[in-house]
Amino acid sequence: MKDKEIQNLIKAEKRRQETAVDLIASENFVSNDVLEALGSVFTNKYAEGYPGARYYGGNAVVDDLERLAGKRALKLYRLDPKKWSVNVQPYSGSPANLAVLHALVPVGGKVMGMDLNMGGHLTHGYRASVTGKLWRQAPYGVDKKTECIDYGGLMKIAKKAKPKLIIAGGSAYSRVVDFKKFRKMADTVDALLLIDMSHFAGLVAGGAYPSPFPYADVVMTTTHKTLRGPRAAIIFSRRTAIPHSKLSIPDLIDRSVFPGLQGGPHANAIAAVAVALKEASAPAFKKYAQQVVRNARTLAFELQKRGWRIVSGGTDTHLFLMDTWERGIGGKEASERLEKAGIIVNKNMIPYDTRKPSDPSGIRIGTAAVTTRGLKEKDMRRLAERMDKTLSR
Ligand SMILES: *Cc1c(COP(=O)(O)O)cnc(C)c1O
C-alpha cells in the first residue's frame, strides 16, 4: 500500500485484534474470503435499482451477484422463495430497520419495541433515534424479578397501545425469545411482526437457537455479528398481500430500501455477504454455533461461581449481562480495568438500572468472536478466573 499512514493503522489494528481477547457480543472475525470479496472491484460499481431493473448500464455481473446472494440467504434459512422474499441491499442494521418501519408504519404511527435500557436496540423506536422521532414507541421490558420477558405483561401493553408493528429481538437479551407468543400478540391486536435477529442470526443458521421464520412477517438481520460476515444487513419478508392494495409486504420493503432510503447498493458488501452465507451453511458452522453457546454458558457459570451476578441467572445465547455494581464497580470502571488486562467488553445498562448509560451498572459479554478464534470451555474457565482477579482487586 502506498499510503503508509493508513497501512500502519491497519497493521496496528490487526495487531490489537490478534492480541486482545474480544468479548464484545456484536463483534466477530470474518474469513479471508469475506475480506477479499469486500476489498474487490465490486466497490467501483453503481447499481441503483434491482436485478434486471437498474438505472445504470454494465450491471449484468452485479445482477448475477445480487441474485446469488438472495438465493443463498433463502437457502441458509430453508425458506421457500414462493413464500419469502429477500433484500440484500441494506447498508447496515440501522438503515434496514428504518426501511422496514418506513415501509410498514405510517409516520406518527405506533411501534412496540423493547426499551433500549432493557436490552432492545436504538432503532426499535427509542427516543434518541430517528425511529423514535418519526414513530411513537410503546416500550416493553423484562420482569423485574426474573429479568426475562413477561409475555402476559407484554400482551397488556399491546392491547392498550394497539401498535401497527411489534418488534421482537434485541441487543442485550440473553434468553430464547418465544416467537410464538409474539405472533399471538401481533394477531390479537392486528399488528405486523418484525423479528430483529441481528444478534442471534448465526445461532439460528447453525441450529443453536429457534428459527423466527415460522412466526414473523419480516425478519431483519445484520450480517456481521454471530453470522460472521461483513457489515451489512438483510431483510426477509413474507409474500403477504397488503389488504386493499396491489402491493405486498416485499414490494413495500423493496421500495423503502431503494429509492426510499438508499442510493446505490454496496456491491462489494453484497459479495462478501454471499461468501459469509455460504460459509454459514457448511457443517463446520453448525459446530461453531453450538460452541458459541456452550462457551457463553460456561463463562457465565464460572463467573457466577466466583460471586458475580449474571442478569437473569444465565444465558441461552452467545451473550449475557454481568451486574458489576452489585459488587461496587460501575460498568465504566469494570470495562476499563478489563481492557488494561487485555479483555475487551462494553459497559451496558442492566434492567431497571439506577445508574446512567455513560456509567451503567454492568457489562455485556459475548463469545462469538473468541469462539471463532478457537476458544473452548476450558479457556472460558481461565478467562473467568482472569476477569475475576482483574475486577476483584
Ligand atoms: C446491531 C443491531 C442493529 C443495528 O445494526 P448496525 O449495523 O449497527 O446499524 C439493529 N438491531 C439489533 C437488534 C442489533 O443488535
Side-chain angles (χ1 to χ4, degrees):
M1 193 183 281
K2 283 200 205 74
D3 187 335
K4 295 301 165 203
E5 259 179 303
I6 295 299
Q7 188 178 39
N8 286 338
L9 289 173
I10 293 172
K11 272 191 191 151
E13 175 61 10
K14 189 160 184 266
R15 204 172 317 122
R16 188 198 68 78
Q17 289 186 14
E18 282 166 0
T19 49
V21 179
D22 184 357
L23 292 180
I24 293 191
S26 49
E27 292 183 4
N28 215 324
F29 298 106
V30 300
S31 69
N32 287 332
D33 286 3
V34 167
L35 281 181
E36 199 179 307
L38 202 56
S40 71
V41 292
F42 273 123
T43 198
N44 298 329
K45 190 69 198 101
Y46 244 105
E48 283 187 356
Y50 289 101
R54 306 283 188 187
Y55 290 81
Y56 295 79
N59 270 312
V61 184
V62 174
D63 279 5
D64 286 347
L65 170 71
E66 190 172 338
R67 285 196 184 104
L68 180 59
K71 225 164 99 181
R72 285 185 179 177
L74 293 171
K75 192 168 167 225
L76 177 62
Y77 293 104
R78 298 193 178 82
L79 301 174
D80 178 354
K82 286 198 222 51
K83 291 188 182 142
W84 285 88
S85 172
V86 59
N87 189 311
V88 296
Q89 293 195 3
Y91 300 145
S92 212
S94 303
N97 274 343
L98 185 54
V100 175
L101 264 62
H102 175 245
L104 304 179
V105 189
V107 169
K110 224 176 242 180
V111 172
M112 183 168 154
M114 195 175 212
D115 192 335
L116 177 70
N117 296 330
M118 291 273 188
H121 191 264
L122 277 166
T123 55
H124 295 185
Y126 190 69
R127 59 182 178 275
S129 151
V130 67
T131 58
K133 299 187 197 299
L134 294 180
W135 297 279
R136 289 170 298 151
Q137 187 194 43
Y140 65 84
V142 295
D143 179 72
K144 198 164 184 174
K145 218 166 141 195
T146 62
E147 296 176 304
C148 292
I149 294 175
D150 156 26
Y151 294 91
L154 257 62
M155 181 69 105
K156 277 187 206 142
I157 296 173
K159 280 182 175 164
K160 189 153 173 254
K162 296 194 181 62
K164 285 266 182 295
L165 179 77
I166 298 177
I167 309 175
S171 302
Y173 187 68
S174 66
R175 295 304 186 168
V176 163
V177 174
D178 192 333
F179 302 126
K180 200 172 176 179
K181 290 204 171 114
F182 268 103
R183 178 73 258 167
K184 194 164 170 226
M185 216 180 296
D187 288 341
T188 305
V189 300
D190 206 17
L192 290 169
L193 178 61
L194 161 65
I195 299 176
D196 182 344
M197 65 167 185
S198 290
H199 260 275
F200 49 86
L203 305 182
V204 174
Y209 194 91
S211 172
F213 288 97
Y215 308 102
D217 297 296
V218 179
V219 174
M220 195 291 284
T221 184
T222 56
T223 49
H224 46 278
K225 296 173 185 172
T226 51
L227 195 52
R228 211 162 66 183
R231 316 194 77 81
I234 305 175
I235 304 170
F236 299 88
S237 51
R238 207 181 271 278
R239 296 189 187 278
T240 310
I242 299 289
H244 319 295
S245 159
K246 285 197 185 97
L247 299 176
S248 63
I249 294 178
D251 293 333
L252 293 175
I253 290 201
D254 288 348
R255 285 174 190 206
S256 181
V257 171
F258 175 85
L261 208 73
Q262 298 190 169
H266 298 177
N268 58 319
I270 294 174
V273 165
V275 171
L277 290 168
K278 189 168 181 188
E279 289 175 356
S281 66
F285 196 86
K286 198 165 251 170
K287 273 196 181 155
Y288 164 71
Q290 315 283 335
Q291 188 66 50
V292 167
V293 177
R294 277 203 300 272
N295 281 350
R297 285 203 163 122
T298 306
L299 186 54
F301 177 71
E302 294 292 330
L303 286 163
Q304 268 173 332
K305 264 191 2 200
R306 290 164 177 80
W308 295 95
R309 193 181 86 80
I310 305 301
V311 168
S312 88
T315 178
D316 305 323
T317 64
H318 61 300
L319 69 80
F320 57 90
L321 294 174
M322 186 163 105
D323 180 353
T324 53
W325 185 240
E326 198 218 20
R327 285 179 57 176
I329 308 163
K332 185 168 181 282
E333 192 192 336
S335 64
E336 286 167 1
R337 271 205 222 169
L338 287 169
E339 178 153 4
K340 279 195 195 117
I343 297 167
I344 313 295
V345 301
N346 64 279
K347 55 181 184 264
N348 214 102
M349 294 284 270
I350 63 172
Y352 300 94
D353 209 322
T354 51
R355 294 164 64 83
K356 51 190 194 303
S358 56
D359 188 10
S361 296
I363 55 177
R364 188 180 65 159
I365 295 168
T367 54
V370 291
T371 307
T372 295
R373 291 293 200 215
L375 268 54
K376 299 253 161 67
E377 286 93 327
K378 63 176 188 334
D379 306 303
M380 295 302 112
R381 241 161 270 139
R382 286 173 43 208
L383 197 51
E385 207 168 286
R386 211 159 110 198
M387 292 171 78
D388 177 51
K389 276 208 180 109
T390 306
L391 293 174
S392 299
R393 71 178 161 77

